[in-house]
Every structure is written in structure tokens, then in C-alpha cells.
Amino acid sequence: MHVPDGFINAPVSAVTGVVAAGAIAVSLRGARRELDERTAPLAGLVAAFIFAVQMLNFPVAAGTSGHLLGGALAAILVGPRTGVLCVSVVLLMQGILFADGGLTALGVNITDMAIVTTVVAYAVFRGLVKVAPRTRRSVTVASFVAALLSVPAAAVAFTLLYWIGGTTDVSIGKVATAMIGVHVLIGVGEAVITALTVGAVIAVRPDLVHGARGLQRRLKLRVGGELVDAPAAEPAPVAATGSRRTVWLTGLAVSVVLAGFVSFYASASPDGLEKVAADQGIDAKAEEHAAAGSPLADYGVKDITDARLSGGLAGVIGVGVTVVAGSTVFWAVRRRRAEDTSPTGPGV
């Protein structure tokens, strides 16, 4: 759902740019409360993983494909504010380096793909885990539903933006029907990927999943014929640094394999927005990307003629750049939190 330049007019693009900048500023401040010594490294990895999986377009209908948006996954793994930052980092890297998503449309893309998906998904997720049995399975199921709903929500948001600032005169009803219809199908793929990933991390390190914190039931003891809460157990020691490093390296390796090798077998069909744009004529005034001459434009390395090698190398570079950029941002946020809470910091 990467919106190119020319789909949305300049005034609406500018307004969404302001909205996106404000949301990022709020998220940078809020992420200080979500990131700690365990999750700060994971956040950079989540951004790289989302970048990698977004290269894996999967078929959803005749001549149409979809890919992960990632807002739900990021929000559940590292928190909603950090999740906004994760997806924003991915979109920034894609727009600048790979000419994917217009630069003047960056505010539109961040608003739609980072803010809307994260807010909707996390709201649905928190609502479900509050009423469902508090188990790991319920977290995984809630992840599935939250991700499923986040994608059509993003489609609705794009439709509203196009209704306000679209550059072509088309029936907004037809655009809405087409966008929501195809993105419900894409949402199923998003839900499967999100649930599998969240479930896998919970199985190995539940303490690293933001959405799973505090979900364990208190044990009950029968005393005098009545059930009472068992005494709180001693908090489990934080896992060794080596364990965290293993999780991080494993996740990075998976991201590299997905972007560098598996992506070659991804569907070549246009994604949901591209297909709807072509069918409904909303791409009539699409503009060439400002970074079209980038050495990595269109997810290929310039002057490398072998498609498999070119695409795979571009994917590996993208994962590397994204994990470095994301980790730098999140460590800076984490360090700012440490300074704010230190005995000599401004928080005292």
C-alpha cells in the first residue's frame, strides 16, 4: 500500500506530513516508557524483519498480490509507540533507497501504514486480551484478529485521504469497494504472518513480547474449601545476555534469508493498491519517483544483470541498513530514558 507521488495533492500531502511528524514526535517520547535493555535491541530487529517480509508479496486474487504492512506485528512485539517508529523507519528506508513509496507522499504513507495500522491493531488487541482467557494462546489469537482488521482499516484511511485530496476524478464509492475488498484478503495474510511470528517469539522468550506482559494468571490455592491467590512468585531473573543475543542473531538471520533468497519467489503481480489504481484510473497523474535513479531502485542493485543476485543483494542491503538505522534510533531513545530517570538527570 505504498502510495506513490502524484496520487494525493500537495495540500493533503502536506497536512499528512504534519500529522506524521507529530505522531513520530509523540512516539519518540512515549517509546522511552516501552523500551528497556531487553526490548531496545528487539525494536531494531523488528523494523528489519518487517522490511524483509514486505518483500514477500503473496497472491490474494487473480492478478493481485499483497504483503505485510507490519503495524500490528510491531505494536504487539515492542509496543504501539515503538511500533509507529519501527514502521516509519522501514517506510523511510524504502522511500529513499528503493524508490518505493513517494517522497512527497511519505506523510501519507506513514499516516496510513504506520499510524493507522498500529493504533487500530493495538486497540483491538488490548480489547481482546482483556476479555479473553489470559493465556499465550489468547495473545496469539488476539494478534491474528488485530492484524486482520488493521489492513482494511488502512484501506479505509487511504480511501478517505483520496476522497479529500485525490488528483483524479473517479467514483470514490468504487475506489472504496475495491480497496476494502482486496485488502480484507490481504489482511488474512497479514494475520497469519503476525500470529505465527508473535507465537514463535512467545514460545521462546515471552518476556520480550510487549503485548504478553502481565498476562499470566495468578495461581490459586484451595484453603479451607475456598480458592485464594497463591503468594506472588519471586520475579524470574532476566535472561542472560547470551540468550538475548541468540534471539537477535536468529531473527536477523531469518530476515536476511527472507529478503536475500525467499523474496526471489515472491508474487510478481501488482499489490492491492497498484491493482486498484490501474483498474479505477487513480494512477493517471502518478509521478516518477524522485529516487528512481537510486542504485537500489525497485529492489535491485544497479548494473547487476542477474535478477536473482541483484534482488537478493538489494534485500540483504536493505535489511542491514534498516536494522542499523532502527537500532540507532531505539538505542538513542533508550539512552534518553536512562538519562531522564538517573539520580542526576532532569527527572529528579
Side-chain angles (χ1 to χ4, degrees), residues 153-238:
V156 171
F158 169 80
T159 303
L160 291 174
L161 290 174
Y162 197 82
W163 180 46
I164 298 169
T167 55
T168 58
D169 185 16
V170 298
S171 169
I172 198 64
K174 291 182 178 179
V175 173
T177 300
M179 282 293 293
I180 297 171
V182 72
H183 284 90
V184 166
L185 299 177
I186 294 173
V188 175
E190 178 104 8
V192 170
I193 295 170
T194 301
L196 288 175
T197 305
V198 170
V201 178
I202 288 178
V204 179
R205 287 291 302 272
D207 59 303
L208 294 181
V209 179
H210 182 275
R213 293 179 180 179
L215 293 181
Q216 288 73 25
R217 281 188 181 275
R218 290 286 298 274
L219 294 176
K220 298 286 186 178
L221 297 177
R222 187 175 296 278
V223 179
E226 296 183 359
L227 289 176
V228 298
D229 287 334
E234 292 294 325
V238 176

Side-chain angles (χ1 to χ4, degrees), residues 105-122:
L106 186 59
V108 173
N109 285 319
I110 290 176
T111 299
D112 196 25
M113 296 177 64
I115 301 171
V116 171
T117 58
T118 301
V119 170
V120 170
Y122 201 70

Side-chain angles (χ1 to χ4, degrees), residues 118-324:
T118 301
V119 170
V120 170
Y122 201 70
V124 172
F125 174 81
R126 294 306 304 173
L128 291 175
V129 296
K130 284 183 178 180
V131 300
R134 301 168 72 84
T135 63
R136 294 179 181 179
R137 179 176 296 180
S138 71
V139 173
T140 304
V141 172
S143 302
F144 182 95
V145 177
L148 176 65
L149 296 178
S150 70
V151 179
V156 171
F158 169 80
T159 303
L160 291 174
L161 290 174
Y162 197 82
W163 180 46
I164 298 169
T167 55
T168 58
D169 185 16
V170 298
S171 169
I172 198 64
K174 291 182 178 179
V175 173
T177 300
M179 282 293 293
I180 297 171
V182 72
H183 284 90
V184 166
L185 299 177
I186 294 173
V188 175
E190 178 104 8
V192 170
I193 295 170
T194 301
L196 288 175
T197 305
V198 170
V201 178
I202 288 178
V204 179
R205 287 291 302 272
D207 59 303
L208 294 181
V209 179
H210 182 275
R213 293 179 180 179
L215 293 181
Q216 288 73 25
R217 281 188 181 275
R218 290 286 298 274
L219 294 176
K220 298 286 186 178
L221 297 177
R222 187 175 296 278
V223 179
E226 296 183 359
L227 289 176
V228 298
D229 287 334
E234 292 294 325
V238 176
T241 302
S243 175
R244 295 198 298 272
R245 184 181 296 116
T246 299
V247 171
W248 195 90
L249 291 174
T250 301
L252 182 61
V254 170
S255 300
V256 168
V257 170
L258 292 177
F261 301 97
V262 181
S263 62
F264 181 78
Y265 303 98
S267 173
S269 299
D271 66 23
L273 176 58
E274 291 175 317
K275 179 66 172 174
V276 172
D279 290 347
Q280 303 300 325
I282 65 177
D283 60 353
K285 295 186 178 181
E287 301 172 1
E288 184 179 22
H289 200 286
S294 166
L296 298 173
D298 298 323
Y299 297 94
V301 178
K302 189 176 181 180
D303 297 330
I304 295 182
T305 56
D306 184 281
R308 185 190 296 268
L309 178 61
S310 177
L313 185 57
V316 172
I317 293 172
V319 168
V321 171
T322 303
V323 76
V324 169

